[in-house]
Amino acid sequence: MSRPAWTTPPWTRAPFLLRREPSAAVAIAVSATLLGLACAALPLYLVSAASASVALQAKDVCPAQLGDDASGSGPVRGVPAALGSLGSTADRTLARAGAGRRGLAPAVVTMSRSGLVLSRPGIPASPVQLATSTGGLDHVAVVSSAGGTGVWLSDDVASAFRVRPGQEVSLAGGGPATRVRVAGIYRDLVGTSLPEFWCTQTAIFGLPDSNAPPPPVVLTDRATFLRALSATGVRTVTYLDFQRFFTGHSTLPQARRVAAGATAFTRAVGEATIRGPEAPPTGHRSAGGFTLAASPPVRLTALVSDAAAVENSLRGSVAPVSVAAVIIAALLVGLAGSYWVDRRRIELGLLSVRGVGPVALGVKGALESVVPVVLGVLLGWGLSLVVVPWLGPSRLLTSTARLEALGLSAIGAAVGLLLVAGVAAARSRGLLERPVGHRAPRWTRIPFELVGLAGALWAWRSLGQVGVQPAGNAVSHVPASFLVFPLLFVLSLAIFAGRVLAAVLGSGLPNKVTRESPPAVWLAVRRLSGGPQIAALLMLSATASLAILMYSSALTRSQQSTLYAKAEVFVGSDVSAQIAGPVRVPPELARSATIVTTSTAGNVGPATVKILAVNPRTFAQGAYWNSALSDHSLADLLRRLSDARGDAHNLPVIESGSAVGLPGGLSFVAAPQAGTVNLHVVATTPTFPGQNGTGPLLVTTQADFARIPIVATTVLWSHGTEPAVLNDLARAGDVVPVVVSRHDVVGATAFAAIAWTFAYLQSLGVLAGLATAGGLLLFLSTRARARGLAYVLARRMGLSRAAHARSLALEVAVMLGLGGLAGAAVGWLAVELAARHLNELPDLAPPPLLVAPFAVLAGATAAIAVTWLVAVAWAQHAADRARPAELLRLDA
């Protein structure tokens, strides 16, 4: 009885045989590495995106609103006991929730006492608050300092009391006065937009521009605070606030545990009890005689919910991309299996002659590939733990995601071994001599890619006008059609282009055309014609990778530019601050701000219009502008407006939005007796700064606007951050009842899932590019023996080394160059077809902007050039090392 083939030495020793073919082992290991990376990337990327969502939301929220927060009042002598009780409760609730003690930042304790009086000889006394906060003195703007301990006065109080650091002032409460040293002077925070550290302490500093601001605040450290209260006979602390901030540097599961711990802290301390509409909330008795109440972590709970929604939304969006990445990496593994057949073809041929079937040979290929596949997949998993945090939205991962990625990589290893076995079995059928007249089946000549192209066009037709706008707890996401369409479209056209190239190369026409060409061209064309399918495969791989990279990069940049433009157009600039009272533009904003006047008390025909009056001389320095907003430049629009002179009955305007083409003159809602003002349209534009939505907007000059009787609002537009602009306005004495910034229109995380989805699609393009480079090197390696023999014989007939190198350069350039050009064209065509259909915040102007990814194109071009140089140099080096006798013996 004959033994089964896989029990004989060629199979039992198979896992150790590939060490004799290091190039095949390396090829399989590298392709398996890309497969393991593709399989492991999805769960890691989702966790990275969820962690980034947590961080972005935490950045947009006052830190003190995320975490433990309890406040109340009580006796001075009970402060240590109250703080000890609160600290132990916070640690205990966090530990029980599984968050650990490091779930929140160290406690920040803020205390204040009102009803104190500050005095100095010869200067009238003034009521003040004495306050302290853990690390608070590190978060104020220092005007001057004498160092050491003592109190810190605001610059307004120091000026009124004519005191300098190092001097002393008197502080009195209900008992005797005590003298305290002035350690420094800080910029006053009362009535200003509070910085991040103090953002919840409106109980001490009051609200911005309040009609009843609190007394000035004297800051000090905790020891001096308690000592001063005891010295003045004050026995109670008016306000104590215990806070532990959530830093935001956390994964979603950790944030969820912290939220559970903060909720338990609220229950343990006790929420405030509202006794009635006119009565203040009451707290609960705590250690040290304090009456405390905790605030539930509403914002932290909402943050966790939103981050989970982002992760779920992203999962559905990137799943098709992940599947495509795995397929591309799997195809490269199959190509490496084909390379193994070429390296082992003599032994496989002998086994085939002895009656070993394709299945047994496939098993042999899988057994020989076990070690490189397993090592490669493990390396790919390890690389994913580095690459995803490095290139992904966040560096924070979870242990659960790492284990899930390892499991998917293990599945990838099994798939890789099956692919190697399948390719080895399929190719072993052709090791024996084929029958005379054998031809490929007719079905292989059917252009099945046209079916994929039809599917892509159907997906494109189904896009419609997708208005991506988050609502409630839902987050924005990329519809699956925006990912299915480019994949089908790009791959179908790439395969079709590859089929055309293969048909042209196999027709014999290139050989006829280059019959009398120089040796380099003659040799390159015949090498391409000798393997048209391989050349077409490499060309379509380059086309697909660059097209996907072009599509994802262009939509990413376009989406970000569109969101920025919509927010800036809505606001008018970075910040829009309504001015109440006389306008006083601070010197700090003189070169980055402009004053505009707005009104919505006008009608043109049946439509209510918004009127924007600008100062043509200063408008450009404070307003947002993008050349894509209009066919006219901003300078041209302002010049036309300035050159037109109006009067009380004739108003020169720029029509924007849906105001274009409105019939009739301008009538007034609040003053119908004023009649109608004729409009002199000097220019029209689809979009103009200050346009709220796509509604009608009329832009005129402030001088012309002042001639018509209409109710208006004065607004300052400025570049810069909201706190900086508000503080500059506060120092100038301007009252700002309403302020809007572009961050109020588009939050940091509102559309993050869209950008992260396209970023993941970009990684697919990069992975496809790596697969293309690997396939090219495998192609050159597979034909190294035939090339070496041909090179040796050609050198005997007078072919120079330089001519051979030029032929290699031309051969590789045809595959990569044609693939790159086709990829750029196909990718941009896909962008043109899809970009206009993805419209974030569709109710706001402008329509979607289209931005070309020039930096990505430059990088891709450089990568193609480097791949071309490496491939040519490697192939020439392999040809130079060829030994004629060995090549003839191996090919015998």
Side-chain angles (χ1 to χ4, degrees), residues 371-385:
V371 174
V373 166
V374 171
L375 291 179
V377 166
L378 288 177
L379 179 59
W381 172 72
L383 284 176
S384 69
L385 301 180

Side-chain angles (χ1 to χ4, degrees), residues 38 79 220 244 327 343 412 489 603 714 741 757 761 835 865 874:
V79 168
T220 186
R244 294 191 66 180
I327 291 175
R343 300 300 297 180
F489 185 78
N603 289 338
T714 302
S741 71
T757 299
L761 187 60
W874 187 89

Side-chain angles (χ1 to χ4, degrees), residues 311-373:
E311 182 180 16
N312 292 333
S313 171
L314 198 63
R315 186 187 304 275
S317 298
V318 303
V321 181
S322 182
V323 171
V326 172
I327 291 175
I328 290 174
L331 291 176
L332 187 60
V333 172
L335 187 60
S338 177
Y339 178 63
W340 172 85
V341 173
D342 288 318
R343 300 300 297 180
R344 306 284 287 165
R345 61 189 178 85
I346 295 178
E347 180 182 355
L348 296 179
L350 291 175
L351 292 173
S352 297
V353 170
R354 295 181 64 91
V356 178
V359 175
L361 295 179
V363 172
K364 177 178 173 60
L367 291 174
E368 289 195 17
S369 305
V370 166
V371 174
V373 166

Side-chain angles (χ1 to χ4, degrees), residues 545-597:
S545 60
L546 187 58
I548 292 173
L549 189 61
M550 163 75 81
Y551 177 85
S552 56
S553 302
L555 285 190
T556 299
R557 291 201 58 191
S558 299
Q559 176 254 347
Q560 293 172 347
S561 299
T562 300
L563 281 177
Y564 180 89
K566 285 178 181 289
E568 293 279 348
V569 167
F570 182 87
V571 177
S573 185
D574 291 341
V575 179
S576 173
Q578 181 179 328
I579 306 296
V583 179
R584 292 176 291 273
V585 179
E588 296 87 349
L589 300 178
R591 295 185 178 181
S592 61
T594 184
I595 298 294
V596 299
T597 307

Side-chain angles (χ1 to χ4, degrees), residues 220-257:
T220 186
D221 59 274
R222 188 187 303 180
T224 304
F225 175 84
L226 296 175
R227 188 167 53 248
L229 292 185
S230 299
T232 56
V234 176
R235 297 184 178 182
T236 60
V237 174
T238 308
Y239 172 74
L240 180 147
D241 192 20
F242 174 91
Q243 297 173 320
R244 294 191 66 180
F245 299 168
F246 176 66
T247 60
H249 189 69
S250 170
T251 62
L252 176 57
Q254 174 69 357
R256 188 177 286 114
R257 291 190 289 268

Side-chain angles (χ1 to χ4, degrees), residues 569-891:
V569 167
F570 182 87
V571 177
S573 185
D574 291 341
V575 179
S576 173
Q578 181 179 328
I579 306 296
V583 179
R584 292 176 291 273
V585 179
E588 296 87 349
L589 300 178
R591 295 185 178 181
S592 61
T594 184
I595 298 294
V596 299
T597 307
T598 65
S599 176
T600 55
N603 289 338
V604 175
T608 300
V609 298
K610 177 183 178 181
I611 305 172
L612 178 69
V614 304
N615 184 342
R617 294 193 304 274
T618 64
F619 185 76
Q621 67 188 24
Y624 166 78
W625 185 255
N626 187 316
S627 59
L629 300 182
S630 175
D631 294 334
H632 304 280
S633 66
L634 181 60
D636 179 52
L637 292 173
L638 295 176
R639 179 186 56 78
R640 294 188 184 191
L641 204 58
S642 300
D643 292 344
R645 297 182 180 274
D647 51 38
H649 304 288
N650 185 33
L651 184 66
V653 296
I654 299 172
E655 289 185 342
S656 178
S658 58
V660 177
L662 285 177
L666 176 67
S667 59
F668 308 109
V669 176
Q673 72 279 3
T676 301
V677 176
N678 296 322
L679 297 179
H680 174 207
V681 180
V682 299
T684 60
T685 179
T687 309
F688 198 85
Q691 184 175 328
N692 297 346
T694 57
L697 173 69
L698 301 179
V699 184
T700 187
T701 65
Q702 291 176 346
D704 292 321
F705 184 77
R707 298 189 181 100
I708 59 178
I710 193 169
V711 178
T713 302
T714 302
V715 181
L716 179 138
W717 288 354
S718 178
H719 298 296
T721 62
E722 180 179 337
V725 172
L726 288 180
N727 288 334
D728 289 338
L729 290 173
R731 284 193 294 271
D734 290 312
V735 179
V736 182
V738 180
V739 61
V740 180
S741 71
R742 64 183 178 93
H743 298 291
D744 298 327
V745 180
V746 180
T749 58
F751 297 92
I754 295 180
W756 295 336
T757 299
F758 287 126
Y760 196 77
L761 187 60
Q762 281 181 311
S763 67
L764 175 63
V766 174
L767 180 65
L770 293 175
T772 300
L776 176 62
L777 294 178
L778 285 177
F779 163 68
L780 295 176
S781 299
T782 301
R783 312 188 83 185
R785 288 174 178 169
R787 288 172 180 275
L789 183 59
Y791 177 59
V792 169
L793 297 177
R795 289 294 301 271
R796 296 292 188 274
M797 292 184 290
L799 181 69
S800 66
R801 183 176 184 275
H804 182 263
R806 288 195 297 271
S807 71
L808 288 174
L810 181 59
E811 179 186 0
V812 177
V814 167
M815 293 181 286
L816 291 182
L818 289 179
L821 292 175
V826 171
W828 188 251
L829 179 58
V831 171
E832 288 280 0
L833 291 174
R836 305 297 181 184
H837 295 269
L838 184 63
N839 188 7
E840 308 95 336
L841 296 174
D843 295 334
L844 296 183
L849 305 179
L850 190 56
V851 182
F854 293 110
V856 173
L857 279 177
T861 302
I864 290 175
V866 170
T867 303
W868 173 66
L869 290 174
V870 170
V872 172
W874 187 89
Q876 181 62 42
H877 174 71
D880 289 335
R881 294 183 57 188
R883 297 180 179 179
E886 181 179 354
L887 293 174
L888 290 171
R889 177 176 58 83
L890 291 175
D891 280 352

